[in-house]
Amino acid sequence: MSRSSQPLDNARSPKRSRRNDFETGSGSTLRILRLVNIGRILCRQRRSAGPIPRSPASPGRQSPVRYEVQINLSTRNIVYVGSWPSPNGREEANEGVYYEVHDCDGHTLCPGLVDIQINGAYGIDFSNPSCDFADLRTTCVRLARERGVTSILPTVVSSPPEVYARLLRWRKPAIEEGYNGAKLLGWHFEGPFMSPKYKGAHDASCMLDPTVENVKKIYFSNDVKNDHDSTRIPLVLVTMAPELPGAMDAITHLTKDQNVVVSLGHTDASYEVCHTATKSGASLLTHTFNAMAPFHHRKPGPVGLVVDGTMPRCSVICDGHHVSDVTIKMLRAVRPGGIILVSDGMAASGSEDGEYVLGDVRVTVKDGKATVTGTGTLAGSCATLDQCVGLYRIITGCTWEEAWEAGSLRPAEAVNVDDVGIVEVGKRGDVALWEGVGDNGVYDKDTSKMKVICCWVGGREVN
């Protein structure tokens, strides 16, 4: 691909210049993806880092400020975030460095979205025993290419023990080899340790008390060690009801011994019990307000932890069905920097109305709303995370930066992942170019104007 030493004029989107010796790797193997002519970058660096230096417009010319991001295709990390044309000589060709140049035509570049609660999409249910490597790969590619979601925690509802054992034996190389799509950060096991009273769409026959013995038996049978450095897909997040027998010891075991984040959800626990659970290691609420004891002025329940700051982070499903607009606004007023957007997407996400399954539970989708067949019980969401981000911005009136951070940086931080969710030097080159994002292009709860133009995972374009 070509080395560009001059600014690109009259750009079209997307526009790339290619060079054969970049592909063949002749000479030096240093390869750089240069994303140039970017109109705006969301979540581009820590607030304490200060603004990106801007290159001044030419004398007598009112030209818009443009930016550039460079990604090392060997390390797959971002190596430069700054103005374009670059004021420090980066436009000049360097001997032995081969560039792939992508003209972003003034569109907005965003970090890849991070969905830490997604049960499936595009007709695939991750909890279904028939779900295999090919299904997971296909879903991950489409999430990145069509929705800008570049990292996920595939989420499994309350299931028989053999389902968890099978999934924890899956290995990343077997799934990721030969494709480029959303990366698997690890599993989110949403069950089976939850209250039957707030089971939602889960199968109550699978539910158990979370004793340490049961946790080891269900999650870590056959000497499966939750080694985050191994080739296995690790268990990263568990949703649990803290009022159940054995829960406090189980939370301590998971967080201290297994390096697993514990989130409180599907629970009838009081505020006091939830407060004790945070001392045992719980650090998150799962889909706040849904499937938990309601907030009451004398019995605040789990939501009380968000109000008083004991629980600094809480996830919420902002899909227009699970939580009212007023409640979304209230939550942001109370904890603006702690909201984590999740899709809670199920197999119908990205698909049409019809009949689906969530684990072993039949689900009916009508007018984009998923319910347990024959009931009014919500059964996950049909939204994708980008839609939740756009809707959150519309409902709250917050900035694009704040909304995007709630769907990228904050969920990554909540599960102790520090190399994604932000456009910053040293972070992974997981980014997407968007139309209808970064301006006032979304109105009246219509997120259809938000469109992915191109997505890169580790600097490699998702096709």
Side-chain angles (χ1 to χ4, degrees):
M1 297 184 182
S2 69
R3 235 182 254 166
S4 174
S5 58
Q6 298 295 328
L8 304 178
D9 296 322
N10 301 320
R12 296 291 185 268
S13 176
K15 181 177 180 182
R16 287 160 291 174
S17 52
R18 297 186 177 275
R19 178 179 183 148
N20 288 335
D21 56 2
F22 179 90
E23 302 290 350
T24 60
S26 61
S28 173
T29 57
L30 180 57
R31 300 174 172 87
I32 302 292
L33 170 67
R34 294 183 56 220
L35 306 177
V36 303
N37 197 19
I38 301 168
R40 183 176 179 182
I41 303 174
L42 293 186
C43 304
R44 60 194 182 189
Q45 57 191 14
R46 307 283 177 177
R47 292 188 179 92
S48 60
I52 300 176
R54 297 186 175 192
S55 58
S58 302
R61 177 183 172 193
Q62 296 297 322
S63 61
V65 174
R66 294 295 192 229
Y67 301 100
E68 175 177 347
V69 171
Q70 296 183 7
I71 302 170
N72 184 320
L73 294 177
S74 296
T75 65
R76 310 192 74 173
N77 292 334
I78 297 170
V79 294
Y80 174 76
V81 180
S83 58
W84 178 83
S86 173
N88 60 358
R90 287 181 181 269
E91 287 290 341
E92 300 177 0
N94 297 308
E95 187 64 30
V97 180
Y98 297 95
Y99 295 103
E100 174 185 349
V101 181
H102 185 114
D103 182 6
C104 297
D105 197 21
H107 288 289
T108 300
L109 190 76
C110 304
L113 295 169
V114 180
D115 200 344
I116 63 173
Q117 185 167 5
I118 175 170
N119 303 284
Y122 305 112
I124 302 301
D125 173 29
F126 298 145
S127 301
N128 194 303
S130 66
C131 177
D132 58 17
F133 289 176
D135 293 330
L136 195 53
R137 280 196 297 266
T138 300
T139 305
C140 287
V141 170
R142 293 191 66 180
L143 285 171
R145 184 179 63 222
E146 300 174 17
R147 299 297 178 177
V149 177
T150 57
S151 297
I152 67 169
L153 291 184
T155 304
V156 181
V157 298
S158 298
S159 302
E162 58 269 21
V163 171
Y164 303 109
R166 179 177 70 94
L167 297 178
L168 285 171
R169 286 194 293 267
W170 283 13
R171 296 184 180 274
K172 288 184 181 181
I175 298 174
E176 297 180 348
E177 184 178 357
Y179 98 108
N180 193 39
K183 291 302 178 185
L184 306 174
L185 300 179
W187 299 108
H188 175 179
F189 287 168
E190 188 187 5
F193 307 115
M194 51 184 54
S195 169
K197 181 177 179 179
Y198 288 100
K199 66 183 180 66
H202 290 241
D203 184 352
S205 68
C206 295
M207 295 179 181
L208 298 169
D209 289 336
T211 63
V212 172
E213 180 182 0
N214 280 343
V215 167
K216 291 180 178 179
K217 178 181 177 181
I218 299 298
Y219 293 159
F220 308 112
S221 61
N222 301 321
D223 297 321
V224 173
K225 183 181 179 182
N226 196 44
D227 186 354
H228 289 242
D229 296 326
S230 75
T231 59
R232 285 193 179 96
I233 304 173
L235 176 56
V236 169
L237 178 62
V238 165
T239 292
M240 180 181 294
E243 74 275 18
L244 299 179
M248 298 305 172
D249 288 340
I251 292 171
T252 299
H253 172 70
L254 285 166
T255 57
K256 305 300 183 184
D257 300 334
Q258 299 290 352
N259 197 24
V260 173
V261 177
V262 173
S263 185
L264 306 182
H266 289 271
T267 174
D268 192 32
S270 66
Y271 167 83
E272 291 76 15
V273 170
C274 291
H275 194 283
T276 301
T278 63
K279 295 181 179 179
S280 295
S283 58
L284 188 64
L285 284 188
T286 293
H287 45 53
T288 305
F289 293 108
N290 296 118
M292 61 179 57
F295 181 87
H296 183 274
H297 58 283
R298 286 191 296 271
K299 296 180 180 179
V303 178
L305 300 178
V306 179
V307 175
D308 72 1
T310 301
M311 187 71 75
R313 297 187 181 100
C314 60
S315 73
V316 66
I317 309 167
C318 187
D319 67 344
H321 297 294
H322 279 78
V323 183
S324 75
D325 292 3
V326 171
T327 305
I328 291 288
K329 292 178 181 179
M330 181 185 72
L331 190 62
R332 176 175 178 261
V334 171
R335 191 62 50 200
I339 293 176
I340 293 168
L341 297 176
V342 296
S343 71
D344 196 33
M346 45 84 69
S349 296
S351 303
E352 300 177 350
D353 287 359
E355 301 296 320
Y356 296 87
V357 293
L358 181 61
D360 291 328
V361 177
R362 300 203 64 80
V363 175
T364 299
V365 176
K366 183 178 180 180
D367 298 328
K369 183 178 180 180
T371 57
V372 176
T373 301
T375 77
T377 301
L378 289 172
S381 170
C382 298
T384 49
L385 187 53
D386 59 307
Q387 294 171 327
C388 295
V389 168
L391 192 56
Y392 180 79
R393 176 187 169 271
I394 295 168
I395 291 172
T396 64
C398 71
T399 64
W400 276 109
E401 288 274 355
E402 180 183 333
W404 213 268
E405 185 177 286
S408 59
L409 181 61
R410 289 187 207 150
E413 290 179 334
V415 293
N416 301 318
V417 176
D418 62 3
D419 63 345
V420 298
I422 188 169
V423 181
E424 185 178 79
V425 172
K427 306 301 183 182
R428 276 183 57 85
D430 296 353
V431 294
L433 193 66
W434 286 84
E435 180 180 346
V437 171
D439 52 26
N440 296 320
V442 180
Y443 304 95
D444 301 325
K445 294 191 177 181
D446 178 13
T447 61
S448 64
K449 297 181 179 68
M450 296 171 58
K451 297 183 183 299
V452 176
I453 299 170
C454 195
C455 182
W456 296 266
V457 177
R460 298 175 186 174
E461 185 176 346
V462 180
N463 295 308

